[in-house]
């Protein structure tokens, strides 16, 4: 499963700036454009999903760029593993995914084939950010457009002070059948405040407390009837197993970047399957390149809930691959994905190539 990289001759680190379709705000910050780090290992490409600032986890684009250049790529060229480098999950994921993509291209296989995925489509979900000025009509019209477009679930970003009102408004406006969740990105400090969200039939409440606060998540999961889902807390399959074992959550959001790569994401999936709990694939507002990985991964049988997997146009007016589009609320599991190099070139802000010495 793990790509070795022993045959890789050169690795390119390329930064591109892509404007978002519209600014996106969550409890941990606002983003209006993505400064994306692309990694090429010979003919294989991957996207580093680290955001521009260290506000989701500790990782951020400049930091990932540095550790790739100074530590991870030299190790790859020296034939040493990446395992004894602590942290830097998103940077490691980008490098190992680029190496895997190179291997798959050379053997003419798709990522879905590599993963053993047989589903051809996966259900699409959408994340609604916190609107400017807390505008409820703006939130409702965005949700209305998403449901009309066919999205199978709606997730709303919440934080203390922007929680009960938007969740109640969405539930009141669209009724019980709409699959509705809330994601707090760790912005709560009291179980009582989270309990206020327990009366709206939410499919789940995601990451109410800080990533390392398993005790509050345990208390919350014990007190609420709404399932608790963990995102930022789950940094590995071992953490997933521990969080489920102690009852800190009953659903897990899997992101390959957050857990250090595709192979570890599959191991988290397998933990969820072994424990009989629901899991789904999250997103980091990826370009089509990162979206390809997420959508292929979401085809695994344990991912039984719709993920945060949207059409490309939800995030980017222009994407660096052919856009993902909704088909009756589903996204098609990609075959071979080609980068639109003209779009990549037009948005490139820097490029460096490291060569095996
Ligand atoms: Mg989340």
């Amino acid at each position: 499963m793990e790509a070795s990289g022993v045959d890789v001759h050169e690795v390119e680190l390329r930064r591109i700036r892509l404007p978002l379709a519209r600014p996106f705000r969550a409890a941990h910050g606002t983003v209006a454009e993505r400064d994306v780090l692309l990694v090429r290992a010979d003919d294989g490409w991957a996207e580093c999903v680290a955001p521009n600032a260290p506000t989701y986890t500790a990782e951020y684009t400049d930091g990932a760029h540095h550790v790739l250049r100074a530590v991870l790529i030299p190790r790859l060229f020296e034939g040493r593993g990446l395992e004894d480098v602590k942290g830097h999950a998103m940077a490691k994921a980008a490098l190992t995914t680029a190496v895997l993509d190179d291997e798959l291209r050379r053997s003419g296989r798709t990522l879905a084939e590599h993963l053993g995925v047989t589903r051809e489509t996966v259900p699409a979900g959408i994340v609604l950010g916190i609107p400017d000025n807390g505008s409820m009509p703006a939130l409702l019209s965005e949700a209305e457009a998403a449901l009309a477009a066919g999205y199978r679930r709606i997730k709303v970003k919440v934080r203390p002070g922007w929680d009960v009102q938007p969740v109640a408004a969405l539930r009141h406006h669209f009724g019980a059948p709409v699959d509705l969740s809330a994601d707090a990105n760790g912005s709560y400090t009291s179980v009582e405040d989270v309990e206020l969200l327990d009366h709206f039939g939410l499919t789940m409440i995601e990451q109410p407390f800080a990533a390392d606060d398993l005790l509050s998540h345990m208390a919350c999961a014990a007190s609420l009837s709404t399932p608790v889902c963990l995102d930022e807390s789950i940094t590995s399959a071992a953490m997933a197993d521990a969080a489920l074992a102690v009852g800190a959550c009953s659903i897990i959001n899997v992101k390959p970047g957050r857990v250090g790569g595709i192979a570890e994401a599959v191991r988290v999936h397998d933990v969820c399957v072994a424990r009989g709990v629901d899991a789904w694939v999250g997103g980091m507002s990826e370009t089509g390149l990162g979206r390809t990985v997420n959508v292929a991964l979401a085809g695994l049988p344990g991912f039984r809930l719709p993920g945060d997997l949207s059409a490309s146009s939800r995030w980017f007016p222009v994407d660096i691959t052919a856009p993902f589009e909704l088909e009756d609320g589903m996204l098609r599991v990609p075959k071979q994905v080609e980068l639109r190099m003209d779009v990549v070139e037009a948005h490139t802000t820097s490029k460096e190539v490291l060569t095996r010495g």
Side-chain angles (χ1 to χ4, degrees):
M1 179 65 74
E2 217 84 62
S4 70
V6 290
D7 298 327
V8 171
H9 294 290
E10 64 176 34
V11 178
E12 174 181 326
L13 297 173
R14 184 190 284 252
R15 295 281 281 269
I16 61 170
R17 265 184 194 278
L18 273 189
L20 289 188
R22 54 184 175 278
F24 182 77
R25 184 144 62 112
H28 56 296
T30 303
V31 57
E33 67 171 3
R34 289 284 327 276
D35 172 7
V36 184
L37 172 60
L38 302 179
V39 179
R40 177 179 62 79
D42 288 344
D43 295 325
W45 285 93
E47 169 178 355
C48 180
V49 301
N52 303 151
T55 52
Y56 167 74
T57 64
E59 288 192 88
Y60 62 107
T61 321
D62 285 337
H65 196 148
H66 178 267
V67 79
L68 277 158
R69 180 202 296 123
V71 179
L72 300 179
I73 295 168
R75 279 181 175 253
L76 181 84
F77 288 153
E78 290 160 12
R80 301 160 72 190
L82 309 182
E83 298 80 25
D84 56 346
V85 176
K86 308 303 179 207
H88 303 286
M90 295 173 190
K92 288 177 183 169
L95 184 57
T96 56
T97 302
V99 171
L100 174 63
D101 188 52
D102 179 53
E103 292 179 3
L104 292 174
R105 283 173 194 276
R106 280 190 283 126
S107 62
R109 292 187 305 143
T110 67
L111 178 57
E113 288 166 349
H114 171 73
L115 295 170
V117 163
T118 53
R119 286 155 79 179
E120 295 198 341
T121 58
V122 298
I126 195 166
V127 189
L128 306 180
I130 299 169
D132 282 342
N133 310 318
S135 163
M136 206 62 69
L139 179 74
L140 292 176
S141 72
E142 207 181 347
E144 216 148 55
L147 291 169
Y151 282 103
R152 302 294 178 101
R153 82 139 172 177
I154 286 181
K155 183 171 101 175
V156 61
K157 291 288 191 182
V158 296
R159 65 181 178 196
W162 175 258
D163 44 15
V164 172
Q165 201 193 357
V167 167
L170 286 164
R171 185 54 89 207
H172 178 73
H173 196 77
F174 296 107
V178 167
D179 182 341
L180 183 62
S181 295
D183 181 7
N185 289 106
S187 55
Y188 286 83
T189 52
S190 123
V191 174
E192 289 72 30
D193 287 347
V194 183
E195 279 171 345
L196 300 174
L197 288 169
D198 200 26
H199 314 291
F200 301 102
L202 294 178
T203 304
M204 72 193 82
I205 295 174
E206 184 178 337
Q207 196 72 45
F209 304 102
D212 60 359
D213 189 0
L214 277 195
L215 285 177
S216 291
H217 285 113
M218 287 163 64
C220 197
S223 141
L224 273 69
S225 57
T226 307
V228 172
C229 171
L230 287 180
D231 173 354
E232 287 92 327
S233 295
I234 306 301
T235 50
S236 65
M239 264 307 290
D241 209 26
L244 291 168
V246 300
C249 65
S250 57
I251 301 176
I252 287 183
N253 165 350
V254 180
K255 295 176 180 174
R258 195 195 63 225
V259 300
I262 293 170
E264 188 69 7
V266 171
R267 287 190 280 270
V268 176
H269 164 273
D270 294 346
V271 163
C272 294
V273 170
R275 287 190 172 273
V277 304
D278 284 326
W280 49 279
V281 176
M284 296 289 293
S285 55
E286 288 90 348
T287 71
L289 188 58
R291 199 164 301 272
T292 296
V293 172
N294 291 347
V295 174
L297 191 66
L300 289 173
F303 291 123
R304 298 183 297 206
L305 299 177
D308 286 345
L309 306 173
S310 302
S312 302
S313 60
R314 188 263 173 274
W315 293 105
F316 301 103
V318 178
D319 205 342
I320 60 172
T321 66
F324 283 82
E325 286 168 358
L326 287 193
E327 301 173 30
D328 192 24
M330 308 290 279
L331 294 173
R332 191 158 289 282
V333 175
K335 307 281 188 224
Q336 198 57 271
V337 168
E338 298 305 330
L339 282 183
R340 289 173 161 171
M341 284 311 296
D342 57 329
V343 178
V344 172
E345 292 290 356
H347 292 85
T348 294
T349 53
S350 75
K351 172 182 161 178
E352 61 189 296
V353 177
L354 291 87
T355 309
R356 189 184 285 274

